[in-house]
Every structure is written in C-alpha cells, then in structure tokens.
Amino acid sequence: MDEADKWKKRFERERRARKEAENILELKSKELYHVNEELRGTLENLEKRVQERTQELSVAVEEAQKANTAKSAFLANMSHEIRTPMNAMIGFTELCLHKTSPSPKQKQYLNKIHHSAISLLGIINDILDFSKIEAGEMKMKNVPFTLGHVFQNLTNLVSDKVHSKNLDFIIERSPDLSDHFIGDAGRLGQILLNLTFNAVKFTHKGYVKLTIRQVKVKDGYSTLEFSVSDTGIGMTREQQEHLFKPFTQVDNSDTRKYDGTGLGLAIAKDFVKRMDGDIWLESAPGVGSTFSFQIKLKLNPDAEKTDHKLPRIFSKKQVLLIDDQTISLKGMANYLEGCGLNVSAFLNDQTTDIDHACSSQEFDLLIYNISQISRACEQQLNDLLDRHYRLRNLKFILISNDEPDLFEDGLCTITPTAYIQKPIDPSYLFDTILETFGNEVLSETARRQDLNIDSLPLDKIQGAHLLLVEDNKINQQVARELLEHARFHVDVAENGQQALDLLNTKTYDCVLMDIQMPVMGGYEATRHIRAQRRFADLPIIAMTANALVSDKQAAIEAGMNDHVAKPINTRVLFSVLLDVIKHKDRPLPQTTDVQKQAIDIPKIKGLNTKTSIKNLNGDTKIYQQILKTFCFVGHGLLQDLTHAVGEKNQEAMIGTTHTLKGLAATIGAEMLEEKSRQFEYTLKDGNPDQTSNLRDHLLEELHNTITAIETFFQENTNTSAVRAVQDHKKIKQELLILCDMLDQYDVAAEDQFHNIMLAALDKKLRNSLIKIGEKIEAYEFEEAHALLSAELEHLKDNANEGTPT
Amino acid sequence: MLGAVFTEFLEMVEDKFSFDVADKILEEAGLADNSSFTAVGNYDHGQMVKLVVALSKETNMEIDDLIKTFGAHLFGQFVQKYPMFFDNVDSSLDFLQGIEDKIHTEVRKLYPHAELPSFECVRHSDNVLEMNYSSTRPFGDLAHGLIAGCGEHFNDNLTIQRIDLDGSNHVHFIISKE
C-alpha cells in the first residue's frame, strides 16, 4: 500500500468518525427535543391543572362566603324574629305577675315561664354573639365606665340564683383600686356574668367569690385580674381541656343536668382576647374551680383618683365587724380598713374575744354579716347587746341573705340603722356607711357653716337658678339642702348630658359641676357648654374631691370659672357664687311642697277640682284626662238628651241623665250633678209640669261646663308660645325616654306611652303616636322603636326650622 | 445555512471531480486555511456562494447547472440519511407538498435556529403542484435541483416550469407529473 492510499484510508476513517459523531449528535438532539417537548407538555398540563384548581377553589370560596353571609344574615334575622316574641313572653309574664292577681299556683307557673323565657333569651343572645364573632363583626366599645356599676349589675343578676341555692356570693376588691376605666363595660359584665353563672350552676354548697386585683399600671393602662372561684364540683384534667371550645360542655355524656349553650366560655375567651388578655383556670374535682382572666383597660384620665376612701372624719371611727364565715370576714375587714376605718373583726362564735373587745374599747359602727337571720342569731345578737349596753347606741349595719320585707313585716326583732341584702357590692356597702353617718356629717358641717355665712351679702344672689350636676345621691342631697336652705332655686342633673339637656330648656345663673360622672363627665360637659356662644358667660364651678392645684388648673383649662373642693365648705362655695353670679333682686323660691301642688290643680269655672283630685289620690294627670274624656262624652250626651226629648223617649232621657249625673260627680261639676239629679228624679216621679224647665237648665249647665273645660284646655295649650315650646320640649324628652325604654324592651314603655298620649296635644304628633301605640300594644317593640326614632328625627327637623335666628 | 449542505457539497465535489478540485475551490473561495465544516454546524451562506462560483470557474460549468446538479445530489443524500421521511409516501408531488409541514418541522426540532426557506404550495390537481419558493438567500436553483432529485427518486417524470420573481430569492414553480 503506497503512502497516498494509506493517507486516503486514514482520511476515510476520520470522515466516517465525523459522520458517526454527527449522527449521534443529531440523535441526541432529537432525544433532547422530545424530552423537552414532554417536559413542556407536562408543565403546560400542570399549569392548566393549577389554573383549573384555582378556579374551582375561588368558586368554592365564593360559595362558602356567600353561604356564610347568608348564615349570618339568617341568624341575625332569626334572632330578631325570635327575640320579639321572646320579649313579649317575658313582658307579659311580668305583667301577669305584677299587674294581675294570680293564684299561688298560677304564680308558680308564671314564674317558671318567666324563668324559662329568660334563659332561652340568654341562649339566643349567646348564639347571636357567637355568630357575630364567627363573622368577624364583634366590636368592642371604648367608653368610660365604673367597675362599681359593673359589679352592681352583676350582683343584681346573680342574687336570685345565689339565694335560691343558699350560696354566698362575695366580691373582694381592694379599696385602692381605681373605679374609673375606659373600655367595654357590657362585655366585661358579660364575661363576669358568664363565669359567675357557671360557678353558681356547678356549686351546691359553699360560696362563689369574685376577686379583683390590679396587676400593674403602665402608660395610662391598668392590667386587672379577675378571679371567680367556687366550692363546686370541679373538673378533671380531661374535662378542662375542651372547656374553651365552642359547643362543648363538661357533662356532654350526662343527662344534661346543667343547661346552657356551651358557647359561654368560648365567647368569654374571645372577649378577653379582644381586651388584650388571657383566661385560664385551676380546678380539681370535688374541690372547686377558679377561672381567672387578666385584661388591659385604659384608666380614665378624667376621673378623680381616690374612690373608696371615706372622708377624714371617718378615720377615728371604730368598727366592730362580726361575721359567720371566715372567707367573707377577711375580705370585708380588708376592704373596710382600706376605706379608712379601724376594724375589729370577729367570727360570731368568738364570744369571748368579742366580749373582751367590747369592754376594752369604744365602737362607732357595728356591722353584722350573717347568712340567714334566725331566732338563734337574733338571740345571740340580743345577748351581746345586753351584755354590752353601750353597743345599743351604735350605728348598726346588718347584712344577710334575707329579703328586706322581713323588717317591714315585723318578722325580725332586730332594728338595724341600715340593712343590706347579700350579695354585697363593695360600692354599695361604701355608700351605706357614708349614708349611715350622713346626717352626722351633714349636720356637723351645716352647723359649723351657718355661723360664718351670715356675714356674706347673700341677698344679692339669692333666688338665683342653679344647676347642680352630680351623680352621687348623697352629694346631691348635701348640696341641694345647703343651697335650698340658702334660698336658691336648684335643679339637679345626674350627669353632663342631662345638664346639657336642661340648659337647653331653662335659663340658669350658674352651674355647679361634678367632674367624674357616668355618661358624660364634667370636663367634657363644660367643653360642650362653652362651645355654644350663648353660654359664653354662664358661670360654671367645678366640684371635686381633691383640692389639688392641678385640679383647679384642669377645671379652668376646661373652661370653668372656679373650683370648689368637696366636702363642700359653705362659706367657700357661697363666696365663689357671690363672685360669679350677677348681683340683682330675684324672686325667692317657694319652699313648701303644699304650695307646689296647688299650682298643679287646674281652676275651672263650675268645677270643684280640688275635691275631685283628692278623690283621685291627688293624681292631677288622670283628672285632666278625665276632663278631656268628659268633653267628648258630654257633647254626645247633650245630643242624646236633646234627641230623647224630641222623641219624648222617657227611658232614654232617664238613662242619659243618670250617666251624666255620675260623670258630673267624678269631675266635681257640683251644679251639673245637682241639676241632673233633680231632672232624673222629676222624670221618674212623673211630674211633667217641672220637666221642661229643669231640662232647659240642665242642658244649659251641661253646655256651660263643657265650654268651661274646653276653654281651660285651650288656654293652657295656646296662651303663650313659650309654654307651647316648653311642652313640645318636654314631650320630646319623654319621647326620648320612651325610645330608650323600647330599646331596652322595658314593659313600662306602655305606661310611658299612655302618659305621653295624655300630654301630647299636637294633632300631627298624635296621629304618628297612634301608629306607634299600635306597635307597642302588639309588643312589636323594635318596630315601635324604629317608628319613634323616625318621628323624633322629624321633630328635630321641625324644631330647627322653627328656631328664630 | 445548515452545515449538511456544505459537507454534502464538498463530498460531491470530491466524488464527481477530485480531492484536488475540492482543495482548489476552497483555496479560491479563501476558506482553505481556517475553515472546516460539519453537518451539525451552521455557516454563512455567502461562503456557499463563493464555493459554487469557484467550482464554476474551475470546471467551466454554468453556476445554475452546478447548483441544480448539487440539488439533485443533495436529495439523494437525504434519502439515505433520513429514510423515515419517505415512509408511506408514494408520489413526488405528495412529498414536495409535505416539505413545509413534515420535513421542516423535523429539521426545526434539531436546529431550532435554522433559517429555512418557505415552500408555499397549491395543489392544482393530482398531477400539478404549484410551489412558491421564498428565502433570504438566492438558492432558487438549489430548490430546482432538489425538486428534480425528488422526481428521480420516485421515478416520476416531472416537468418543472420556473418563473424567477425576485432574482433567485423568490421563485414560482409549476410542477407537472406525466
């Protein structure tokens, strides 16, 4: 083989190798292509499936949302539909119980219906709350409230159950705990009520105790811990695990001895969570359970600091506290000491110790706290009083589970200065102690102050109209008596809002304003007042318990003129009043109540109104209504009588005249009554000579009487525009109250409505009211409420149009 | 332009003429020193034009004829290399009509970036096919040769009428089978 052939062979080999490589490459390319294609296909397929699934899911979500909205709407609707008849049942049962005279058996049945209806309503409310939580529509309020109010409500609601099970319900709070917070009092009350009801439900012997303590205060917020402990059946670990889940109950397997929805704790847990807190429990079977929760509440910056602190005068008072239970003795002793009293506390069987204390020291107040007033305890107490004669002169507060009727009915031989029925709400005890010594405090201060106000030229401002804005009844009483004694006109508003309402209806020379009040506090009220130009010069005096410089500054910053510290020093108060009230001669207030009543008795020619009203137990309102009715009926009788005379229908004449005689007597139309009697007598006796003469006299007298009454009503409604406006305002206020009552499903709404109907004279308003009345009669309170709200809106518009500018 | 066209062209020159002629035209076209071609590469079509021009000069043959001859040769090579394209196809016109859909689709699988000419077809009758060649490159003649090669392969006697529309970039063929 020559070289060329060799090279050619080698070249051919290389060429074949290249071609082979090219083929392999193409093959691999193709494989790669197919794999790629397959991948692309899979990807596309997956993408398509994801898209389909997403679509399916979004449809499903939409459906679910629709279903959920429908469910919520249905529940809301149903709860409305159910609540209306439920409230009717509750309301009418109450009416049956209190306004009719059911037999004992009927009373028992009615009580059961009432009780069942209320628990059913509770269940419905639970379900509504829960569905609201589920639908995310539950919102917490943020309004000022006092713990005292929450506890008072709680006490009112649980006391029946506690009494019927012979349990003790104890509230333990430290007196230095602030009472004023901002938050959702209703929800807090609901949590407490739920836990307390549960505790009562599962406790058959012993007590249920609510303890409140402040865990910390930081940046204007307070963390409070509430614990509800009981001596009930308790729970095992397994039972505790499912406790806060909705629709579960501890005794699901049981024969449902304990009723309830099983939603209460789930709702409570949600509420606590919404208040930045947590809820937990400790429990052991047979020992009892303690549910505790902590929540964060905003401290009310407008509120005064110290609350359950008695005035300094109490710091020397010695209290002898006797209790029949260790658990309540300890709590109450702590509380009273916190209030500023000196307490010697004993169990009622520590006779020797009590005797020793009584002989070695003087006491000012005896507080005797027992479960039940029994002969034995009466004996024990009497023995004690016999042994220590001085104790008989003490103020004496008795606390027990018994009804207060016990004393009215004379079943109890003990006569306390004040009686408190358990459960005890600490604020109530505090007020009672204040009240017990109230006269002493009052008379002391009054005596002291009478001496040094004589030098003040009070006559320059006497007769001025003062508006006292104060929520505490005792303070109201003190201030009112001081001021009225000094011959001022005093009106009282319970809070800032009421004060604003009153300012709109009457003219005042000065406002005395408490600072912390429910609904609207003093600072806020003042800002509202000052916002109106017509009140720019109205003097406003703050009244606060603290005489700090900062308080005075805060008052002045809020737009008040001055500041007076409580308890009120008369000389200081009157000096301030002399400063701020314009000096001039004013008519002085009439002081006697008799005179006040006399104003209300209408004077109508021919009528002895005084006697009639007396016959009606002094109820002028009913009398006026009867007069109105008489006008309608009187016109009819006049016609009937004339007609009967024309037809010579003897029987009809006698009948009509007889009716007239009775009516005339009722309204005190003495002359008319006399003439009717004579005519009736003559008709019956059949002396026809006299009939025509008497008849004419009678018809004339009837005509005159009707005219006199009609004139009276016209004069009283149309004489002065001012009066009409005031009536209008008053009716509006009454309508607002009615509106509130309807909102609360208050059965008394019916009475309130009828009272308004008596007073309302405006024809258009009456027409609207008639429709509202029908709804109220049918117990459709929600509809009535809606109609009334619309009417009030309408009235407001009209009032605006009518206001001269 | 696909590398296969180059390798097949050079092989044809080596076969039909000689290795020396192949060396010469590579020299002439200025591709001797730095260029090499593989079937799976992709090369500038200008180089093909230079090679054809050089071959025409060397052999004193018309460029058109050379390209047509090459087309026929190329078709034969395709038949050998890609026998699967010819399964189930009986007639030259059917094959030609399917180039765009079948062949080019397969080529694109291997060479996704290949710039392939388009063959827009109208089948006038069983025996008459209108083909419109359109390319960025002036190889209407190559197409012509390929069509002829196709006829030979199927043993069809084809009459190819040709109208150049835009040089040899766009060519209108009417192909009739007897």
Side-chain angles (χ1 to χ4, degrees):
Chain A
M1 199 183 284
D2 63 8
E3 277 300 295
D5 281 345
K6 261 189 198 168
W7 279 112
K8 194 166 178 206
K9 230 174 178 175
R10 282 174 195 158
F11 169 77
E12 289 293 342
R13 206 163 55 227
E14 281 307 308
R15 172 178 278 184
R16 274 202 306 280
R18 174 176 61 82
K19 288 203 172 176
E20 187 63 26
E22 284 170 357
N23 278 338
I24 291 170
L25 200 57
E26 283 205 339
L27 207 68
K28 292 288 165 198
S29 279
K30 203 156 178 179
E31 274 173 19
L32 198 59
Y33 172 82
H34 283 296
V35 171
N36 264 337
E37 275 301 283
E38 220 165 278
L39 274 177
R40 204 168 50 83
T42 315
L43 190 68
E44 256 174 27
N45 207 8
L46 280 177
E47 269 177 1
K48 210 174 132 199
R49 267 171 64 187
V50 167
Q51 222 169 19
E52 276 169 12
R53 284 288 154 85
T54 313
Q55 176 73 14
E56 274 169 27
L57 273 177
S58 74
V59 169
V61 166
E62 208 173 295
E63 296 267 303
Q65 273 168 348
K66 260 191 225 159
N68 204 31
T69 316
K71 187 187 81 179
S72 298
F74 172 76
L75 272 174
N77 204 21
M78 276 311 284
S79 78
H80 164 91
E81 296 288 336
I82 296 169
R83 270 195 295 177
T84 305
M86 283 306 302
N87 283 305
M89 280 186 236
I90 294 168
F92 282 122
T93 316
E94 274 167 12
L95 285 177
C96 272
L97 274 168
H98 304 302
K99 298 241 165 143
T100 66
S101 322
S103 72
K105 194 110 201 168
Q106 286 171 328
K107 201 167 178 177
Q108 194 189 338
Y109 293 158
L110 284 169
N111 270 325
K112 279 192 177 153
I113 297 173
H114 190 245
H115 177 78
S116 307
I118 283 181
S119 27
L120 184 52
L121 190 62
I123 292 169
I124 292 163
N125 285 339
D126 263 9
I127 294 174
L128 182 68
D129 272 349
F130 189 71
S131 61
K132 266 192 189 163
I133 292 171
E134 287 269 274
E137 284 168 15
M138 182 58 70
K139 290 194 181 74
M140 292 280 137
K141 280 185 195 161
N142 249 331
V143 289
F145 72 93
T146 65
L147 278 182
H149 268 104
V150 174
F151 295 150
Q152 216 169 334
N153 267 336
L154 180 69
T155 312
N156 288 341
L157 288 168
V158 297
S159 57
D160 268 359
K161 284 211 166 158
V162 168
H163 285 154
S164 67
K165 292 189 84 170
N166 254 333
L167 300 172
D168 267 310
F169 178 57
I170 303 154
I171 299 179
E172 244 183 60
R173 65 175 281 182
S174 69
D176 55 359
L177 177 68
S178 169
D179 206 26
H180 296 265
F181 294 97
I182 293 174
D184 196 326
R187 301 302 181 202
L188 174 59
Q190 225 175 316
I191 303 170
L192 289 173
L193 190 64
N194 187 284
L195 297 181
T196 313
F197 265 175
N198 269 350
V200 172
K201 199 156 72 176
F202 295 108
T203 304
H204 306 299
K205 215 177 129 191
Y207 64 86
V208 172
K209 190 173 79 172
L210 167 62
T211 319
I212 306 98
R213 77 187 179 89
Q214 186 157 266
V215 180
K216 66 169 178 189
V217 181
K218 203 184 161 196
D219 304 330
Y221 282 86
S222 163
T223 305
L224 297 182
E225 182 176 306
F226 298 78
S227 297
V228 178
S229 45
D230 62 52
T231 52
I233 57 172
M235 274 171 283
T236 62
R237 284 230 159 270
E238 296 83 72
Q239 286 172 324
Q240 293 173 33
E241 264 173 33
H242 303 287
L243 210 57
F244 291 101
K245 289 183 188 153
F247 306 111
T248 52
Q249 285 191 310
V250 167
D251 62 333
N252 255 347
S253 57
D254 211 321
T255 48
R256 295 194 62 88
K257 187 161 133 202
Y258 308 100
D259 54 1
T261 49
L263 287 175
L265 284 176
I267 293 170
K269 192 181 179 182
D270 180 85
F271 287 174
V272 169
K273 228 171 86 192
R274 282 164 200 274
M275 296 187 200
D276 290 329
D278 200 10
I279 186 164
W280 68 94
L281 103 134
E282 290 155 56
S283 181
V287 180
S289 308
T290 301
F291 282 84
S292 308
F293 65 93
Q294 286 192 355
I295 51 171
K296 218 166 116 188
L297 287 172
K298 194 172 176 200
L299 287 158
N300 188 348
D302 257 2
E304 290 167 15
K305 267 215 177 89
T306 49
D307 265 282
H308 291 202
K309 282 274 181 216
L310 291 160
R312 197 160 302 151
I313 171 170
F314 282 88
S315 65
K316 286 189 191 121
K317 301 275 181 209
Q318 300 288 335
V319 179
L320 174 60
L321 171 65
I322 301 175
D323 201 318
D324 60 354
Q325 283 188 70
T326 326
I327 178 92
S328 43
L329 178 71
K330 232 176 84 192
M332 201 180 311
N334 280 339
Y335 175 75
L336 291 173
E337 269 169 4
C339 293
L341 290 162
N342 305 300
V343 185
S344 307
F346 302 101
L347 281 171
N348 64 342
D349 54 9
Q350 292 176 298
T351 325
T352 329
D353 294 330
I354 297 174
D355 281 348
H356 181 253
C358 289
S359 30
S360 60
Q361 108 185 72
E362 297 257 352
F363 288 106
D364 301 285
L365 171 67
L366 168 62
I367 298 179
Y368 199 69
N369 182 17
I370 44 168
S371 313
Q372 223 95 43
I373 301 171
S374 61
R375 288 279 158 239
C377 96
E378 280 180 49
Q379 191 56 47
Q380 194 180 30
L381 187 61
N382 280 328
D383 286 352
L384 177 72
L385 295 178
D386 281 345
R387 283 199 304 281
H388 306 280
Y389 202 74
R390 274 180 310 182
L391 290 181
R392 288 197 181 275
N393 298 325
L394 296 193
K395 305 282 180 193
F396 172 29
I397 296 175
L398 179 63
I399 303 166
S400 92
N401 277 315
D402 297 294
E403 298 287 331
D405 311 351
L406 211 61
F407 302 97
E408 285 167 24
D409 300 346
L411 290 173
C412 183
T413 56
I414 314 169
T415 43
T417 322
Y419 175 70
I420 302 176
Q421 190 186 10
K422 287 190 196 182
I424 319 161
D425 165 22
S427 329
Y428 188 71
L429 176 62
F430 180 83
D431 284 348
T432 308
I433 295 172
L434 252 182
E435 226 166 314
T436 309
F437 290 101
N439 281 337
E440 193 180 311
V441 180
L442 184 66
S443 56
E444 241 182 65
T445 34
R447 214 176 328 118
R448 235 188 10 244
Q449 287 165 355
D450 256 1
L451 295 172
N452 49 24
I453 60 168
D454 286 347
S455 56
L456 294 171
L458 272 186
D459 55 321
K460 296 205 161 89
I461 56 167
Q462 270 171 342
H465 285 83
L466 307 181
L467 176 57
L468 172 68
V469 193
E470 167 70 67
D471 66 321
N472 183 297
K473 297 274 185 230
I474 295 160
N475 289 340
Q476 269 179 22
Q477 191 193 341
V478 173
R480 180 174 213 147
E481 276 177 26
L482 277 173
L483 293 166
E484 281 183 348
H485 185 69
R487 310 208 77 179
F488 288 101
H489 296 274
V490 182
D491 284 336
V492 178
E494 300 262 338
N495 57 55
Q497 185 57 52
Q498 275 189 19
L500 288 174
D501 294 344
L502 276 172
L503 280 169
N504 281 330
T505 53
K506 262 177 98 168
T507 310
Y508 292 97
D509 298 296
C510 179
V511 180
L512 293 167
M513 182 82 80
D514 184 20
I515 296 306
Q516 52 166 85
M517 288 173 288
V519 187
M520 188 192 282
Y523 292 144
E524 197 189 341
T526 303
R527 281 191 283 270
H528 280 291
I529 293 170
R530 289 291 186 239
Q532 302 178 56
R533 194 174 295 163
R534 62 199 164 115
F535 295 134
D537 298 325
L538 176 67
I540 304 175
I541 311 293
M543 300 189 296
T544 60
N546 297 341
L548 302 174
V549 179
S550 62
D551 283 335
K552 183 161 183 163
Q553 210 153 18
I556 286 165
E557 271 167 24
M560 301 191 183
N561 299 59
D562 212 330
H563 167 273
V564 176
K566 282 193 286 194
I568 296 166
N569 177 313
T570 323
R571 191 180 168 83
V572 174
L573 174 65
F574 289 158
S575 309
V576 169
L577 289 180
L578 268 168
D579 271 354
V580 296
I581 296 174
K582 225 185 206 168
H583 292 196
K584 67 173 179 188
D585 283 337
R586 294 180 173 90
L588 298 181
Q590 288 158 322
T591 44
T592 54
D593 283 0
V594 184
Q595 273 170 310
K596 259 189 211 159
Q597 272 180 5
I599 297 164
D600 289 333
I601 298 174
K603 284 202 183 74
I604 300 167
K605 203 183 144 212
L607 301 190
N608 184 345
T609 51
K610 214 167 173 175
T611 312
S612 299
I613 291 171
K614 215 166 110 192
N615 289 341
L616 291 166
N617 274 332
D619 197 329
T620 319
K621 238 194 248 167
I622 291 181
Y623 180 63
Q624 293 205 11
Q625 180 57 24
I626 289 172
L627 285 182
K628 276 183 192 166
T629 318
F630 180 81
C631 287
F632 289 121
V633 179
H635 280 296
L637 286 175
L638 195 59
Q639 264 182 7
D640 287 353
L641 197 54
T642 317
H643 197 66
V645 169
E647 288 195 331
K648 294 200 166 63
N649 185 338
Q650 183 87 354
E651 211 173 304
M653 279 196 276
I654 294 176
T656 314
T657 312
H658 184 77
T659 312
L660 186 57
K661 187 183 72 184
L663 287 175
T666 312
I667 62 164
E670 286 163 348
M671 184 64 84
L672 184 64
E673 185 196 351
E674 182 54 34
K675 294 210 154 132
S676 310
R677 191 196 313 281
Q678 283 174 7
F679 186 53
E680 188 189 357
Y681 178 77
T682 318
L683 283 171
K684 278 183 182 164
D685 230 30
N687 189 347
D689 292 348
Q690 293 176 325
T691 46
S692 63
N693 200 8
L694 279 171
R695 182 195 66 210
D696 291 347
H697 277 126
L698 175 61
L699 288 175
E700 192 188 331
E701 186 61 35
L702 176 57
H703 179 77
N704 287 345
T705 308
I706 294 171
T707 314
I709 296 170
E710 281 177 347
T711 313
F712 165 77
F713 279 119
Q714 266 163 19
E715 275 174 0
N716 276 278
T717 51
N718 295 332
T719 38
S720 80
V722 178
R723 162 114 196 210
V725 167
Q726 275 181 356
D727 278 352
H728 182 75
K729 285 219 163 109
K730 186 157 188 313
I731 283 171
K732 211 178 128 191
Q733 239 167 21
E734 295 298 323
L735 285 173
L736 281 170
I737 293 171
L738 176 62
C739 206
D740 230 35
M741 289 172 125
L742 289 174
D743 194 39
Q744 303 287 321
Y745 285 99
D746 191 337
V747 194
E750 219 172 321
D751 289 342
Q752 172 73 3
F753 175 77
H754 287 302
N755 286 338
I756 293 173
M757 273 311 261
L758 293 185
L761 295 159
D762 181 69
K763 233 181 193 164
K764 238 164 109 188
L765 179 62
R766 280 184 78 89
N767 277 336
S768 321
L769 285 179
I770 285 167
K771 272 187 210 137
I772 295 167
E774 282 166 5
K775 294 287 176 200
I776 294 176
E777 295 252 309
Y779 231 82
E780 286 162 352
F781 276 18
E782 284 177 44
E783 284 84 348
H785 183 260
L787 281 175
L788 182 56
S789 304
E791 185 59 32
L792 280 167
E793 203 54 37
H794 185 67
L795 282 177
K796 204 163 78 190
D797 292 347
N798 281 357
N800 287 345
E801 278 165 29
T803 311
T805 44
Chain B
M1 185 168 246
L2 286 177
V5 180
F6 284 83
T7 53
E8 290 307 330
F9 179 76
L10 287 173
E11 263 181 60
M12 182 193 76
V13 176
E14 285 159 1
D15 272 1
K16 296 259 164 83
F17 302 96
S18 70
F19 282 98
D20 290 342
V21 174
D23 288 343
K24 264 194 190 150
I25 63 167
L26 280 168
E27 196 85 35
E28 182 69 30
L31 299 168
D33 296 330
N34 299 315
S35 298
S36 59
F37 301 100
T38 133
V40 293
N42 198 17
Y43 309 97
D44 180 9
H45 75 274
Q47 293 178 344
M48 177 51 75
V49 174
K50 280 181 188 162
L51 286 169
V52 175
V53 171
L55 183 63
S56 151
K57 216 168 151 189
E58 184 64 30
T59 58
N60 285 322
M61 283 171 75
E62 285 296 315
I63 289 179
D64 299 358
D65 291 338
L66 269 179
I67 295 180
K68 259 187 262 175
T69 312
F70 172 56
H73 169 79
L74 192 59
F75 194 87
Q77 295 303 312
F78 282 162
V79 175
Q80 270 181 30
K81 209 173 170 185
Y82 306 109
M84 60 282 200
F85 290 156
F86 300 91
D87 294 344
N88 306 321
V89 186
D90 308 326
S91 121
S92 56
L93 294 191
D94 288 349
F95 181 83
L96 290 171
Q97 198 177 354
I99 287 178
E100 183 85 30
D101 282 348
K102 289 175 194 155
I103 319 283
H104 282 181
T105 307
E106 288 301 312
V107 173
R108 280 203 180 87
K109 287 181 188 173
L110 297 176
Y111 308 101
H113 303 297
E115 272 188 77
L116 301 169
S118 82
F119 288 100
E120 200 185 292
C121 296
V122 182
R123 189 69 174 261
H124 292 259
S125 69
D126 262 3
N127 294 327
V128 180
L129 175 70
E130 176 191 324
M131 273 186 109
N132 292 292
Y133 165 87
S134 166
S135 171
T136 52
R137 299 179 292 257
F139 288 111
D141 290 320
L142 189 58
H144 196 156
L146 280 166
I147 293 167
C150 178
E152 258 170 59
H153 171 76
F154 284 101
N155 281 323
D156 287 336
N157 198 2
L158 297 182
T159 314
I160 302 167
Q161 278 180 283
R162 171 182 169 176
I163 302 158
D164 286 9
L165 297 172
D166 173 20
S168 144
N169 285 60
H170 297 276
V171 182
H172 178 72
F173 296 101
I174 301 287
I175 308 149
S176 321
K177 196 174 103 177
E178 274 177 22

